[in-house]
Amino acid sequence: MSQVRSRVLGFAAVVSATSLALAACGSGSGSGGSAASNPSGGPQLVSSDALTVCTHLSYKPFEFKDSSGNVVGFDMDLAQNAAKQLGQSKVTIVDIDFASQTSGAVFAAKKCDMAMGAVTINDKRKQSVAFSTPYFSATQALLAKKSAGITDLSSLKGKKLGVQTDTTGQAYAEKNKDANGYEVVVFDDLPTEIAGVQSGRVDAAINDNGPLLDFTKSNPDFAVVKEFDTGEQYGFLFQKDDANAAKIKDAFNAALKKSIEDGSYKASYKKWFGSEPAVMPTVS
Protein backbone atom coordinates (compact mmCIF):
# COMPACT_ATOMS: atom_id res chain seq x y z
CA MET A 1 0.00 0.00 0.00
CA SER A 2 1.37 3.44 -0.89
CA GLN A 3 1.77 6.13 1.69
CA VAL A 4 -0.85 8.87 1.42
CA ARG A 5 -0.59 12.32 2.95
CA SER A 6 -3.65 14.51 3.46
CA ARG A 7 -4.20 17.98 4.86
CA VAL A 8 -7.01 20.50 4.57
CA LEU A 9 -6.08 23.57 2.55
CA GLY A 10 -8.89 26.13 2.90
CA PHE A 11 -11.73 24.93 0.68
CA ALA A 12 -9.66 22.08 -0.76
CA ALA A 13 -7.88 19.15 0.81
CA VAL A 14 -4.82 17.77 -0.96
CA VAL A 15 -3.77 14.14 -0.99
CA SER A 16 -0.46 13.06 -2.53
CA ALA A 17 -0.38 9.46 -3.76
CA THR A 18 2.81 7.85 -5.02
CA SER A 19 1.09 4.71 -6.34
CA LEU A 20 -2.39 3.34 -6.76
CA ALA A 21 -2.05 -0.03 -5.03
CA LEU A 22 -4.81 -1.35 -7.26
CA ALA A 23 -4.87 -4.83 -5.78
CA ALA A 24 -5.61 -3.45 -2.33
CA CYS A 25 -8.12 -0.82 -3.36
CA GLY A 26 -9.74 -1.95 -6.58
CA SER A 27 -12.86 -3.71 -5.33
CA GLY A 28 -16.15 -2.52 -3.89
CA SER A 29 -18.03 0.72 -4.35
CA GLY A 30 -15.65 2.89 -2.35
CA SER A 31 -12.16 3.16 -0.92
CA GLY A 32 -11.82 1.66 2.53
CA GLY A 33 -15.60 1.70 2.97
CA SER A 34 -15.72 5.51 3.15
CA ALA A 35 -17.93 6.01 0.12
CA ALA A 36 -21.37 7.43 0.77
CA SER A 37 -24.41 8.59 -1.14
CA ASN A 38 -24.82 12.27 -1.75
CA PRO A 39 -27.00 13.78 1.01
CA SER A 40 -29.44 15.08 -1.60
CA GLY A 41 -29.98 11.57 -2.96
CA GLY A 42 -27.54 12.02 -5.84
CA PRO A 43 -24.70 9.72 -6.95
CA GLN A 44 -22.43 7.83 -4.59
CA LEU A 45 -19.12 9.62 -3.95
CA VAL A 46 -15.74 8.29 -2.83
CA SER A 47 -15.97 10.31 0.38
CA SER A 48 -19.02 11.17 2.44
CA ASP A 49 -18.01 14.78 3.06
CA ALA A 50 -16.40 15.98 -0.18
CA LEU A 51 -16.12 15.73 -3.94
CA THR A 52 -12.80 13.96 -4.54
CA VAL A 53 -10.86 15.09 -7.62
CA CYS A 54 -7.63 13.64 -9.00
CA THR A 55 -5.05 15.89 -10.68
CA HIS A 56 -1.30 16.26 -11.07
CA LEU A 57 0.04 19.46 -9.53
CA SER A 58 1.26 21.86 -10.65
CA TYR A 59 -0.29 23.08 -13.92
CA LYS A 60 -0.70 26.81 -13.53
CA PRO A 61 -3.11 28.53 -14.03
CA PHE A 62 -5.44 25.52 -14.19
CA GLU A 63 -4.48 23.90 -10.86
CA PHE A 64 -1.67 24.89 -8.51
CA LYS A 65 -0.98 25.88 -4.90
CA ASP A 66 -1.05 29.54 -3.97
CA SER A 67 1.25 31.19 -1.44
CA SER A 68 -0.94 29.90 1.40
CA GLY A 69 -0.85 26.31 0.16
CA ASN A 70 -4.42 26.34 -1.12
CA VAL A 71 -5.13 24.62 -4.43
CA VAL A 72 -6.53 27.24 -6.81
CA GLY A 73 -6.91 27.80 -10.54
CA PHE A 74 -9.37 27.74 -13.39
CA ASP A 75 -10.05 24.01 -13.16
CA MET A 76 -10.41 24.31 -9.40
CA ASP A 77 -13.16 26.91 -9.83
CA LEU A 78 -15.07 24.48 -12.05
CA ALA A 79 -14.54 21.63 -9.59
CA GLN A 80 -15.93 23.75 -6.76
CA ASN A 81 -19.00 24.55 -8.87
CA ALA A 82 -19.51 20.83 -9.46
CA ALA A 83 -19.21 20.13 -5.73
CA LYS A 84 -21.94 22.65 -5.00
CA GLN A 85 -24.11 21.06 -7.69
CA LEU A 86 -23.67 17.74 -5.86
CA GLY A 87 -24.53 19.26 -2.48
CA GLN A 88 -20.95 19.21 -1.19
CA SER A 89 -19.14 22.09 0.50
CA LYS A 90 -15.59 20.79 0.02
CA VAL A 91 -13.29 19.51 -2.73
CA THR A 92 -10.57 17.01 -1.88
CA ILE A 93 -7.63 17.00 -4.30
CA VAL A 94 -5.67 13.79 -4.89
CA ASP A 95 -2.27 14.68 -6.38
CA ILE A 96 -1.32 11.68 -8.53
CA ASP A 97 0.50 10.98 -11.78
CA PHE A 98 -1.16 12.07 -15.02
CA ALA A 99 -1.02 8.70 -16.80
CA SER A 100 -3.03 6.94 -14.09
CA GLN A 101 -5.82 9.46 -14.66
CA THR A 102 -6.01 9.19 -18.45
CA SER A 103 -5.80 5.38 -18.26
CA GLY A 104 -8.75 5.26 -15.86
CA ALA A 105 -6.70 3.50 -13.17
CA VAL A 106 -7.62 6.09 -10.55
CA PHE A 107 -11.30 5.26 -11.04
CA ALA A 108 -10.74 1.50 -10.94
CA ALA A 109 -8.97 2.04 -7.61
CA LYS A 110 -11.78 4.29 -6.31
CA LYS A 111 -9.31 7.10 -5.70
CA CYS A 112 -11.56 9.90 -6.91
CA ASP A 113 -14.94 10.86 -8.35
CA MET A 114 -13.49 12.74 -11.30
CA ALA A 115 -10.14 13.99 -12.61
CA MET A 116 -8.94 17.30 -14.01
CA GLY A 117 -5.76 18.76 -15.44
CA ALA A 118 -6.30 20.55 -18.75
CA VAL A 119 -6.77 17.12 -20.33
CA THR A 120 -7.17 17.06 -24.10
CA ILE A 121 -10.13 15.02 -25.32
CA ASN A 122 -9.07 12.46 -27.93
CA ASP A 123 -10.21 9.07 -29.24
CA LYS A 124 -7.41 7.13 -27.56
CA ARG A 125 -8.32 8.45 -24.12
CA LYS A 126 -12.01 7.87 -24.77
CA GLN A 127 -11.21 4.15 -24.83
CA SER A 128 -10.32 4.35 -21.12
CA VAL A 129 -12.33 7.21 -19.60
CA ALA A 130 -15.47 9.27 -20.13
CA PHE A 131 -15.19 13.01 -20.73
CA SER A 132 -17.34 15.93 -19.72
CA THR A 133 -18.62 18.47 -22.20
CA PRO A 134 -15.54 20.35 -23.54
CA TYR A 135 -14.88 23.34 -21.30
CA PHE A 136 -11.77 24.95 -22.85
CA SER A 137 -10.16 25.34 -26.30
CA ALA A 138 -6.36 25.29 -26.50
CA THR A 139 -3.36 25.24 -28.83
CA GLN A 140 0.16 23.86 -28.44
CA ALA A 141 2.87 26.44 -27.77
CA LEU A 142 6.66 26.51 -28.19
CA LEU A 143 8.59 28.06 -25.29
CA ALA A 144 12.19 29.24 -25.60
CA LYS A 145 14.60 31.85 -24.28
CA LYS A 146 14.26 35.10 -26.22
CA SER A 147 18.01 35.08 -26.82
CA ALA A 148 18.03 31.57 -28.32
CA GLY A 149 16.96 32.63 -31.80
CA ILE A 150 14.29 29.93 -31.97
CA THR A 151 11.16 30.86 -33.91
CA ASP A 152 9.56 27.52 -34.83
CA LEU A 153 10.25 23.78 -34.95
CA SER A 154 12.58 24.13 -37.93
CA SER A 155 14.85 26.32 -35.77
CA LEU A 156 15.46 23.29 -33.55
CA LYS A 157 17.47 21.24 -36.05
CA GLY A 158 20.24 19.47 -34.12
CA LYS A 159 18.78 20.74 -30.81
CA LYS A 160 16.67 19.27 -27.99
CA LEU A 161 12.93 19.80 -27.48
CA GLY A 162 11.37 19.13 -24.07
CA VAL A 163 7.93 17.52 -23.75
CA GLN A 164 5.71 16.38 -20.89
CA THR A 165 4.96 12.67 -20.89
CA ASP A 166 1.56 11.43 -22.08
CA THR A 167 0.50 14.80 -23.48
CA THR A 168 -0.66 16.14 -26.82
CA GLY A 169 2.57 18.15 -26.93
CA GLN A 170 4.61 14.95 -26.80
CA ALA A 171 2.57 13.41 -29.62
CA TYR A 172 2.93 16.56 -31.72
CA ALA A 173 6.70 16.73 -31.11
CA GLU A 174 7.21 13.07 -31.97
CA LYS A 175 5.16 13.43 -35.16
CA ASN A 176 7.28 16.33 -36.41
CA LYS A 177 10.78 15.43 -35.15
CA ASP A 178 12.05 13.69 -38.30
CA ALA A 179 11.02 16.56 -40.55
CA ASN A 180 12.71 19.12 -38.28
CA GLY A 181 15.71 17.16 -37.00
CA TYR A 182 15.45 17.69 -33.24
CA GLU A 183 15.76 15.29 -30.30
CA VAL A 184 12.78 14.80 -27.99
CA VAL A 185 13.49 14.84 -24.24
CA VAL A 186 10.65 13.61 -22.02
CA PHE A 187 9.86 15.11 -18.59
CA ASP A 188 7.45 13.79 -15.96
CA ASP A 189 5.54 17.05 -15.50
CA LEU A 190 5.28 20.69 -16.57
CA PRO A 191 7.50 22.22 -13.82
CA THR A 192 10.44 19.92 -14.64
CA GLU A 193 9.90 20.52 -18.37
CA ILE A 194 10.10 24.30 -17.89
CA ALA A 195 13.08 23.88 -15.57
CA GLY A 196 14.79 21.99 -18.41
CA VAL A 197 14.52 25.07 -20.63
CA GLN A 198 15.70 27.36 -17.84
CA SER A 199 18.76 25.21 -17.11
CA GLY A 200 19.65 24.64 -20.74
CA ARG A 201 19.06 20.90 -20.65
CA VAL A 202 16.71 21.44 -23.59
CA ASP A 203 16.60 24.32 -26.05
CA ALA A 204 12.82 24.68 -26.07
CA ALA A 205 9.65 23.07 -24.74
CA ILE A 206 6.22 22.37 -26.17
CA ASN A 207 3.05 22.25 -24.10
CA ASP A 208 -0.41 23.79 -23.91
CA ASN A 209 -0.50 27.53 -24.49
CA GLY A 210 -2.26 28.47 -21.22
CA PRO A 211 0.43 27.50 -18.70
CA LEU A 212 3.32 28.52 -20.95
CA LEU A 213 1.87 31.98 -21.56
CA ASP A 214 1.31 32.28 -17.81
CA PHE A 215 4.98 31.38 -17.20
CA THR A 216 6.23 34.13 -19.51
CA LYS A 217 4.34 36.78 -17.52
CA SER A 218 6.77 36.44 -14.62
CA ASN A 219 9.78 35.33 -16.69
CA PRO A 220 10.43 38.06 -19.27
CA ASP A 221 13.58 36.39 -20.66
CA PHE A 222 11.35 33.67 -22.12
CA ALA A 223 8.67 33.81 -24.78
CA VAL A 224 6.09 31.67 -26.53
CA VAL A 225 7.64 31.93 -29.99
CA LYS A 226 5.08 29.88 -31.89
CA GLU A 227 1.61 28.40 -31.41
CA PHE A 228 0.23 25.39 -33.27
CA ASP A 229 -3.52 25.06 -33.80
CA THR A 230 -4.25 21.43 -33.03
CA GLY A 231 -7.99 21.86 -32.48
CA GLU A 232 -7.71 20.74 -28.87
CA GLN A 233 -10.50 20.85 -26.33
CA TYR A 234 -10.19 20.02 -22.65
CA GLY A 235 -12.56 17.93 -20.56
CA PHE A 236 -12.87 16.62 -17.02
CA LEU A 237 -12.49 12.83 -16.71
CA PHE A 238 -14.87 10.24 -15.25
CA GLN A 239 -15.08 6.47 -15.01
CA LYS A 240 -16.15 4.95 -18.32
CA ASP A 241 -19.30 2.86 -18.71
CA ASP A 242 -20.45 3.39 -15.13
CA ALA A 243 -23.96 4.58 -14.31
CA ASN A 244 -22.92 6.24 -11.05
CA ALA A 245 -20.04 8.09 -12.70
CA ALA A 246 -22.41 9.22 -15.45
CA LYS A 247 -24.50 10.99 -12.80
CA ILE A 248 -21.41 12.78 -11.49
CA LYS A 249 -20.52 13.79 -15.05
CA ASP A 250 -24.06 15.10 -15.58
CA ALA A 251 -23.71 17.20 -12.40
CA PHE A 252 -20.42 18.66 -13.68
CA ASN A 253 -21.99 19.50 -17.04
CA ALA A 254 -24.97 21.10 -15.31
CA ALA A 255 -22.65 23.21 -13.14
CA LEU A 256 -20.64 24.23 -16.21
CA LYS A 257 -23.81 25.28 -18.04
CA LYS A 258 -24.97 27.28 -15.02
CA SER A 259 -21.59 29.08 -14.77
CA ILE A 260 -21.79 30.06 -18.43
CA GLU A 261 -25.32 31.38 -18.03
CA ASP A 262 -24.66 33.36 -14.83
CA GLY A 263 -21.34 34.84 -16.03
CA SER A 264 -19.11 33.14 -13.45
CA TYR A 265 -17.31 31.10 -16.13
CA LYS A 266 -16.31 34.27 -17.97
CA ALA A 267 -15.25 35.95 -14.71
CA SER A 268 -13.11 32.97 -13.72
CA TYR A 269 -11.51 32.83 -17.17
CA LYS A 270 -10.62 36.52 -17.04
CA LYS A 271 -9.22 36.13 -13.53
CA TRP A 272 -6.82 33.34 -14.48
CA PHE A 273 -5.97 34.21 -18.09
CA GLY A 274 -6.23 37.99 -18.12
CA SER A 275 -8.80 38.22 -20.91
CA GLU A 276 -12.27 37.03 -21.78
CA PRO A 277 -12.57 33.76 -23.70
CA ALA A 278 -12.57 34.06 -27.49
CA VAL A 279 -14.86 31.03 -27.71
CA MET A 280 -17.36 30.03 -25.03
CA PRO A 281 -18.08 26.35 -24.38
CA THR A 282 -21.39 24.99 -25.67
CA VAL A 283 -23.39 22.89 -23.22
CA SER A 284 -26.71 21.49 -24.36
Side-chain angles (χ1 to χ4, degrees), residues 38-282:
N38 182 277
S40 63
Q44 187 178 61
L45 302 177
V46 168
S47 174
S48 61
D49 63 350
L51 175 66
T52 306
V53 183
C54 286
T55 193
H56 186 50
L57 301 169
S58 169
Y59 205 74
K60 189 177 181 181
F62 289 92
E63 45 269 321
F64 64 101
K65 291 183 182 180
D66 65 13
S67 58
S68 300
N70 298 318
V71 177
V72 297
F74 184 68
D75 283 355
M76 190 62 190
D77 287 353
L78 298 181
Q80 290 173 340
N81 290 341
K84 293 175 184 176
Q85 184 74 23
L86 287 162
Q88 296 292 339
S89 60
K90 186 172 68 175
V91 173
T92 297
I93 295 297
V94 178
D95 185 7
I96 199 164
D97 66 285
F98 186 70
S100 66
Q101 298 171 59
T102 56
S103 70
V106 292
F107 303 122
K110 305 299 180 184
K111 290 290 181 182
C112 48
D113 302 304
M114 65 185 189
M116 65 184 187
V119 183
T120 300
I121 301 169
N122 61 37
D123 290 338
K124 181 180 179 181
R125 289 171 179 163
K126 285 180 179 179
Q127 295 175 14
S128 303
V129 297
F131 280 99
S132 69
T133 295
Y135 71 92
F136 189 93
S137 297
T139 63
Q140 288 299 301
L142 187 64
L143 176 76
K145 290 182 179 179
K146 289 181 177 178
S147 60
I150 295 170
T151 57
D152 53 26
L153 294 181
S154 63
S155 304
L156 289 168
K157 186 175 182 179
K159 300 181 185 295
K160 295 181 179 181
L161 175 63
V163 302
Q164 180 182 347
T165 187
D166 296 311
T167 60
T168 304
Q170 180 182 14
Y172 191 85
E174 294 285 358
K175 179 181 178 181
N176 291 280
K177 70 178 181 180
D178 290 341
N180 293 283
Y182 53 75
E183 176 186 349
V184 174
V185 179
V186 181
F187 294 89
D188 289 337
D189 51 37
L190 177 65
T192 55
E193 182 188 5
I194 290 177
V197 184
Q198 292 176 300
S199 67
R201 182 181 173 189
V202 294
D203 300 282
I206 188 169
N207 213 306
D208 294 352
N209 59 339
L212 294 188
L213 288 167
D214 183 78
F215 171 78
T216 61
K217 292 178 185 177
S218 54
N219 294 272
D221 293 338
F222 295 81
V224 168
V225 298
K226 184 78 172 181
E227 292 191 47
F228 310 97
D229 186 3
T230 51
E232 292 175 72
Q233 291 183 308
Y234 296 161
F236 275 56
L237 284 65
F238 304 84
Q239 186 168 8
K240 183 180 174 67
D241 299 327
D242 182 89
N244 186 70
K247 293 179 182 178
I248 301 172
K249 182 181 72 172
D250 289 345
F252 174 87
N253 288 338
L256 176 62
K257 182 178 181 179
K258 185 182 296 184
S259 72
I260 293 168
E261 292 172 346
D262 67 17
S264 58
Y265 177 96
K266 186 179 290 186
S268 176
Y269 190 105
K270 189 171 184 179
K271 174 183 177 181
W272 296 113
F273 298 101
S275 63
E276 293 188 354
V279 179
M280 292 288 287
T282 302

